[in-house]
Amino acid sequence: MNNPEDRSKRKQGSAQGGLNAVLADYAGMLVAVAALITLFSLTTEHFFSPENFRTIANQIPAAIIVATGMTFVLIIAGIDLSVGSVLGFCGAVLGAAIVNWNVHPLLAVLLTCVAGMACGVFNGWVSNKWSVPSFIVTLGMLEIARGGAHLVTRSQTQYIGSAIGGLADASVAGISLPFIIALVIVAAGQLVLSRTVFGRYLIAIGTNEEAVRLSGIDPRPIKVLVFVISGLLAAVAAVIDTSRYQSANPNAGDGFELQAIAAVVIGGTSLMGGRGPVVRSFFGVLIIAVLNAGLASLGVKDEYKRLITGLVIVAAVVLDQYRQRFTAKS
Amino acid sequence: MDSLLSVSNICKTYAVQVLSNVDFSLRRGEVHALVGENGAGKSTLVKIISGLIRQSAGSMELNGRPFAPGSRMDAEQCGIRTVLQELNLIGNLTVAENLFFTGIPNRFGLIRYHELNKAAAVLLDRFGLTGVNPRMKVSALGIGRQQLLEIAAAMSCESPILIMDEPTAALMDPEVELLFKHIKEKRDNGSSVIYISHRIEEIKRIADRITILRDGCIVGTYNAADIGNDEIINQMVGRSMDQVVERRSQASARIALKAKGLTRRPFFHDVSFELRKGEILGFAGLMGSGRTETMRGIFGADRFESGEIYLDDSQQPVSIKSPRHAVRNGIALLTEDRKEQGLFLPLSLRENITITNIGAVASRIGWINHEHEHAEADDWIGKLDLRCRSPEQKAVELSGGNQQKLVIAKWMFRDCRILIFDEPTRGIDVGAKVEIYKLLNNLSERGKAIIMVSSELNELMALCDRIAVMSAGKLAGVFDRGSWSQEILMEAAFSEYLTGERRNPQSPLDEGKDETGPVNHETSNLS
Ligand SMILES: Nc1ncnc2c1ncn2[C@@H]1O[C@H](COP(=O)(O)OP(=O)(O)OP(=O)(O)O)[C@@H](O)[C@H]1O
Ligand SMILES: [Mg+2]
């Protein structure tokens, strides 16, 4: 069984499964997005138009960025329920810094990122130090950050004007800058996961944390870092959203955490940890966004929209189970 | 003699064919051993019989009627009980709850704990687990005792067919004797047993017939009395092979690790020993004697209360706070429980092997070079003759013995200077064992200091320069090559249990608590 020919054969089927494998992996998601677009284009008049696609592309960068952070957290079998509130809090900090404290916009953005990371440090550190499940700690942070957002803005929407408006308006080759930033973050996230030591540790921790520890690696700082990344990405999303609306709303990002989790799960990341390509989460966001826009242009009422979106989430996860069982067999 | 269960033309294909046209029959009232190399397909065959997986082709008959179990439950209802190779207890439940998991006594859904625990205590007694408290959580037990629990649970049922996949891999002689007594009882009552093991002597003692599997095919079925040990091995591997490994002692005088007064009640107490460079130091002892816990303490996996560890010739003790510290100081520990503590089952062999030292295949900034990583993994897979399709195959798909080799490969990749092996040959076939002994020999020749914890005295006596024997959490003695015999070592292993009569029989884990000093092995006796 282990003669020389076999061993040389093994070498050929090696790590770089090649572009084909990657494409096969994403084919299902691509098909799903294409099918939705076709469906809505055929059933409505306005759906298939450049403006409509531009609107979608403008709406989703924040969701994509937050979903990327969420993917990292889910991979280590954690969960971050605070991303929506942290986004709101970071937006509030940004607004207050520019409007009330008269800080230079660039510095204000930096401050916002620090605020997001601080929330992440709290989440990660508390859950590690006292072995509290991240579900609980981030549930606490969900309230803490929302309260903070209201405190900082005194519960009023801060109008910022065009101080950082340039960010959302800028575009490269017709694609908005936020969308490009989101794509870059997804690509970077994917590379970190599949090609770096850090990414390997994340997958290993999500698979068997005790075995990681007994392999001579301390999982704790790595886990804290993951929550810091999630907080930072929520801050980046806050900057993008604030610049788009030209104002900081203390209620921004309300319910965002569940949307992000839904998108990531549609992408096939397991809540049990150890698995989850970032690119698939990107498609998850895309599917939800296209579905929402399509249903809107069909004139579907809000209550039905939610009902349908919910069904799609469940169906997507069930389908993914089948996909996995199928690939496991072949 | 009539056949109770017969299996004909069974095939099983995953990515490759792992069983081809297997014919096998089990008679009423016989112990039928199944032997073969790691990955030969033994576990696959018994999993098909016990309803865990489906065959790709072929059929089975039970009592002359077609038999196609859809699940393990199905098979159990038809009277087939199985003890699987991998442990399957629920760590968070108590011993008693695990023992009677499918039939917990209850009234309107409320568990009747009194009844449950009483029944459990009786059962534990029968299997020599007198010391285990039925209310204890299973996760607090070592794998040896967990294995005994599984056996006890399976044997407590009156099932006509009992299947055991390597039940003795983690057991020592006294427990094996007890198990054999129960198996013989079962057989005399007309039950049939399918018994898988890599220990040939055991098989010769207990089996009536022996079926040999090689690469998924049946080589033959023999009456145990008609076939010799060497013949069995030759048939298994398809060639003749030498089984003896000569140990030329080459321990240097330089100390690699010195432990002084290590204590972590109730697991171990005042353990002191020296390990030299180039030495293989064996650790023998009964189940629960504290060997695994001591090793975990040295490795920093659990903190000990008092005691010091010195490395090399240093006069300054090192403080090893975590496994990370240990590895940085050049200490590796191969844990006994490969499934829970060693492997990443859903990940590839490549990822499993390189985790201990991933920096070696990555750039400074942490960018992994996949080709390099793949090649390194492939290299160790080749060196350990690990049977797999490719380094990209998932660990979960490997046979038990090959998973064990994977744990070894993982630590070989780190290249530590002090290697602690906890049951390194658990579930490994005879041929591969010899390869591992050679590997250990080579490592010690290269100056590595090795501790080998094993429940097989034979392998310790063949391989070690010295053997330390632990008994009830204490070091009962350290013996030099030449000054030991099986009897002397066993006597030492029992010593603390016989002198420490004061201990509370309910909790053997408390044994470390009594204050009797170290007992000289020569004065204690087995009466
Ligand atoms: N789920 C799976 N997917 C792919 N291959 C598998 C799977 N399970 C087992 N195999 C392969 O089937 C072969 C036989 O495995 P099996 O576990 O039956 O061996 P075994 O005889 O019990 O070996 P051991 O003595 O090591 O326990 C092995 O080569 C193994 O890699
Ligand atoms: Mg097996």
Side-chain angles (χ1 to χ4, degrees):
Chain A
M1 237 180 167
N2 229 9
N3 49 33
E5 300 116 72
D6 270 350
R7 281 171 53 70
S8 63
K9 230 187 288 159
R10 282 212 314 257
K11 286 227 169 69
Q12 284 164 14
S14 68
Q16 333 78 35
L19 200 62
N20 285 344
V22 176
L23 279 183
D25 200 23
Y26 301 128
M29 314 277 308
L30 271 170
V31 169
V33 174
L36 280 176
I37 293 179
T38 317
L39 177 74
F40 292 126
S41 305
L42 292 178
T43 48
T44 68
E45 275 175 36
H46 313 293
F47 186 81
F48 200 82
S49 68
E51 298 90 77
N52 195 26
F53 289 138
R54 201 166 304 140
T55 320
I56 295 178
N58 277 336
Q59 273 168 0
I60 57 175
I64 293 172
I65 293 169
V66 169
T68 303
M70 188 65 83
T71 311
F72 274 63
V73 178
L74 291 190
I75 284 172
I76 61 163
I79 198 160
D80 189 348
L81 296 176
S82 69
V83 285
S85 297
V86 170
L87 188 151
F89 174 64
C90 290
V93 168
L94 182 61
I98 292 174
V99 177
N100 301 345
W101 311 331
N102 284 320
V103 177
H104 185 275
L106 214 60
L107 205 62
V109 168
L110 213 64
L111 198 65
T112 311
C113 291
V114 171
M117 290 186 344
C119 295
V121 170
F122 179 90
N123 283 338
W125 189 72
V126 171
S127 71
N128 268 301
K129 177 80 184 167
W130 288 287
S131 310
V132 187
S134 54
F135 186 99
I136 313 275
V137 183
T138 59
L139 186 66
M141 180 50 79
L142 177 134
E143 293 298 324
I144 297 171
R146 185 61 67 195
H150 280 270
L151 271 179
V152 173
T153 57
R154 296 194 200 84
S155 296
Q156 275 158 5
T157 300
Q158 306 268 326
Y159 181 71
I160 302 177
S162 59
I164 54 166
L167 181 66
D169 297 337
S171 67
V172 181
I175 306 169
S176 76
L177 186 58
F179 195 69
I180 291 175
I181 294 177
L183 286 186
V184 168
I185 287 177
V186 168
Q190 179 71 22
L191 282 179
V192 164
L193 266 187
S194 60
R195 297 304 303 265
T196 68
V197 171
F198 177 67
R200 179 67 56 78
Y201 284 166
L202 296 192
I203 292 168
I205 288 172
T207 310
N208 188 346
E209 188 176 338
E210 181 65 1
V212 170
R213 192 174 81 91
L214 293 173
S215 299
I217 298 148
D218 190 351
R220 287 168 304 178
I222 301 168
K223 287 168 73 186
V224 174
L225 195 52
V226 168
F227 283 94
V228 173
I229 289 173
S230 177
L232 174 64
L233 291 179
V236 173
V239 172
I240 286 173
D241 260 6
T242 313
S243 97
R244 182 163 142 234
Y245 297 120
Q246 304 203 341
S247 62
N249 176 353
N251 288 320
D254 194 22
F256 219 58
E257 58 281 349
L258 295 183
Q259 275 184 42
I261 293 170
V264 175
V265 169
I266 286 182
T269 297
S270 156
L271 289 179
M272 312 302 264
R275 194 161 68 82
V278 176
V279 177
R280 297 175 61 93
S281 302
F282 164 75
F283 281 115
V285 175
L286 212 57
I287 287 175
I288 294 186
V290 169
L291 186 69
N292 271 328
L295 292 175
S297 57
L298 268 177
V300 175
K301 284 210 214 106
D302 211 35
E303 42 274 45
Y304 288 108
K305 249 166 81 181
R306 294 189 70 164
L307 201 144
I308 292 171
T309 312
L311 287 175
V312 167
I313 293 170
V314 175
V317 176
V318 172
L319 267 179
D320 187 59
Q321 292 287 339
Y322 271 98
R323 183 186 67 89
Q324 272 181 56
R325 232 175 278 168
F326 179 73
T327 42
K329 271 190 193 138
S330 67
Chain B
M1 230 184 275
D2 57 339
S3 114
L4 179 58
L5 171 81
S6 70
V7 161
S8 37
N9 268 317
I10 291 269
C11 299
K12 177 71 191 174
T13 309
Y14 288 110
V16 290
Q17 188 153 18
V18 299
L19 284 180
S20 5
N21 300 53
V22 168
D23 289 311
F24 172 83
S25 86
L26 181 67
R27 293 177 186 156
R28 219 176 289 277
E30 75 164 346
V31 176
H32 196 141
L34 210 50
V35 298
E37 286 185 287
N38 292 135
K42 307 177 295 293
S43 300
T44 308
L45 179 59
V46 298
K47 277 186 197 159
I48 291 173
I49 295 173
S50 53
L52 281 143
I53 51 175
R54 280 290 186 81
Q55 67 267 36
S56 313
S59 61
M60 297 189 277
E61 271 185 14
L62 183 67
N63 280 322
R65 259 175 273 138
F67 172 61
S71 67
R72 190 175 183 182
M73 273 291 236
D74 250 13
E76 272 176 22
Q77 259 149 22
C78 297
I80 300 179
R81 272 296 292 228
T82 316
V83 177
L84 290 173
Q85 186 171 15
E86 300 300 330
L87 294 165
N88 271 297
L89 298 168
I90 304 167
N92 272 333
L93 296 188
T94 66
V95 168
E97 285 162 346
N98 268 292
L99 277 176
F100 295 99
F101 190 67
T102 47
I104 293 182
N106 64 70
R107 172 177 278 165
F108 311 125
L110 286 180
I111 296 180
R112 309 180 63 161
Y113 276 105
H114 186 68
E115 203 175 303
L116 174 70
N117 290 331
K118 224 165 76 185
V122 172
L123 194 55
L124 290 172
D125 214 35
R126 271 185 57 202
F127 285 86
L129 284 162
T130 358
V132 175
N133 184 337
R135 289 177 203 84
M136 199 151 91
K137 281 214 174 136
V138 159
S139 52
L141 298 173
I143 48 160
R145 282 176 164 158
Q146 291 193 16
Q147 179 77 68
L148 270 182
L149 277 189
E150 290 232 21
I151 293 171
M155 284 214 153
S156 68
C157 309
E158 292 300 324
S159 52
I161 297 179
L162 181 65
I163 301 176
M164 293 201 244
D165 195 348
E166 297 191 32
T168 55
L171 302 190
M172 272 196 74
D173 293 351
E175 293 100 20
V176 174
E177 292 308 318
L178 203 61
L179 173 67
F180 281 8
K181 198 185 102 206
H182 287 292
I183 291 181
K184 281 184 183 137
E185 235 166 60
K186 277 239 156 207
R187 175 182 58 192
D188 296 343
N189 290 338
S191 296
S192 310
V193 179
I194 299 177
Y195 185 88
I196 299 177
S197 174
H198 287 298
R199 302 186 183 173
I200 307 291
E201 313 84 62
E202 251 174 32
I203 286 178
K204 289 284 289 181
R205 276 186 50 204
I206 192 76
D208 301 309
R209 289 198 301 162
I210 300 174
T211 290
I212 302 173
L213 265 173
R214 183 166 74 224
D215 285 343
C217 304
I218 298 275
V219 180
T221 298
Y222 306 88
N223 286 324
D226 302 344
I227 185 168
N229 291 6
D230 292 344
E231 181 61 15
I232 296 177
I233 293 168
N234 291 351
Q235 299 269 9
M236 266 169 61
V237 296
R239 65 194 145 85
S240 60
M241 50 167 290
D242 60 318
Q243 284 178 70
V244 270
V245 176
E246 281 301 312
R247 168 85 188 147
R248 301 179 303 275
S249 178
Q250 41 225 317
S252 74
R254 313 224 354 244
I255 284 174
L257 179 143
K258 191 159 85 180
K260 214 166 131 188
L262 298 185
T263 301
R264 177 173 170 236
R265 279 167 242 253
F267 301 106
F268 51 91
H269 183 79
D270 196 21
V271 174
S272 307
F273 64 90
E274 283 173 3
L275 173 68
R276 305 203 183 90
K277 290 192 174 134
E279 181 182 38
I280 303 181
L281 173 63
F283 264 78
L286 301 179
M287 248 177 234
S289 59
R291 294 168 298 165
T292 294
E293 286 80 4
T294 308
M295 298 310 148
R296 282 177 63 93
I298 294 171
F299 187 62
D302 308 311
R303 302 290 292 275
F304 46 84
E305 298 159 20
S306 60
E308 280 127 33
I309 293 171
Y310 302 84
L311 291 180
D312 303 318
D313 298 316
S314 155
Q315 301 300 312
Q316 279 297 315
V318 287
S319 108
I320 295 172
K321 294 200 199 76
S322 68
R324 185 165 153 266
H325 277 121
V327 172
R328 289 206 160 173
N329 281 304
I331 305 175
L333 170 68
L334 277 84
T335 48
E336 60 170 354
D337 188 344
R338 56 181 175 240
K339 189 171 148 201
E340 299 292 330
Q341 300 172 351
L343 295 179
F344 305 94
L345 289 177
L347 303 188
S348 67
L349 308 188
R350 168 176 57 87
E351 288 162 308
N352 271 285
I353 291 171
T354 56
I355 188 84
T356 48
N357 194 12
I358 191 142
V361 291
S363 74
R364 274 260 196 79
I365 54 163
W367 195 256
I368 297 173
N369 179 339
H370 276 185
E371 282 101 85
H372 187 185
E373 189 188 16
H374 186 87
E376 287 283 356
D378 206 43
D379 191 33
W380 278 110
I381 287 170
K383 279 188 195 157
L384 293 173
D385 192 21
L386 201 158
R387 307 287 168 94
C388 64
R389 283 198 312 271
S390 103
E392 302 308 314
Q393 196 176 359
K394 288 181 177 156
V396 69
E397 293 174 1
L398 293 183
S399 76
N402 284 305
Q403 286 184 1
Q404 186 63 39
K405 291 185 197 169
L406 185 59
V407 182
I408 296 176
K410 167 182 152 175
W411 281 110
M412 290 299 105
F413 186 63
R414 176 77 206 196
D415 199 29
C416 289
R417 54 202 178 94
I418 299 170
L419 295 154
I420 307 175
F421 290 84
D422 198 351
E423 303 280 2
T425 57
R426 189 161 74 90
I428 287 189
D429 70 45
V430 261
K433 257 184 196 168
V434 173
E435 292 307 313
I436 287 178
Y437 299 156
K438 283 186 190 152
L439 177 82
L440 291 178
N441 256 335
N442 280 340
L443 288 168
S444 74
E445 258 163 49
R446 282 171 44 208
K448 310 265 179 204
I450 297 173
I451 291 179
M452 178 165 178
V453 177
S454 172
S455 49
E456 271 184 71
L457 279 183
N458 288 338
E459 86 180 7
L460 289 180
M461 296 197 307
L463 209 60
C464 297
D465 299 313
R466 291 184 302 150
I467 298 179
V469 183
M470 285 189 74
S471 181
K474 290 188 191 124
L475 204 59
V478 180
F479 302 86
D480 286 321
R481 184 168 268 278
S483 78
W484 66 49
S485 70
Q486 189 125 12
E487 290 71 39
I488 292 177
L489 294 175
M490 281 316 283
E491 200 173 307
F494 273 109
S495 57
E496 288 293 320
Y497 295 93
L498 295 179
T499 51
E501 287 296 12
R502 287 179 287 131
R503 75 204 163 88
N504 173 6
Q506 277 295 309
S507 56
L509 291 179
D510 285 340
E511 282 146 7
K513 274 181 182 152
D514 49 42
E515 295 297 334
T516 38
V519 175
N520 190 335
H521 58 91
E522 271 131 13
T523 57
S524 64
N525 57 60
L526 283 162
S527 53

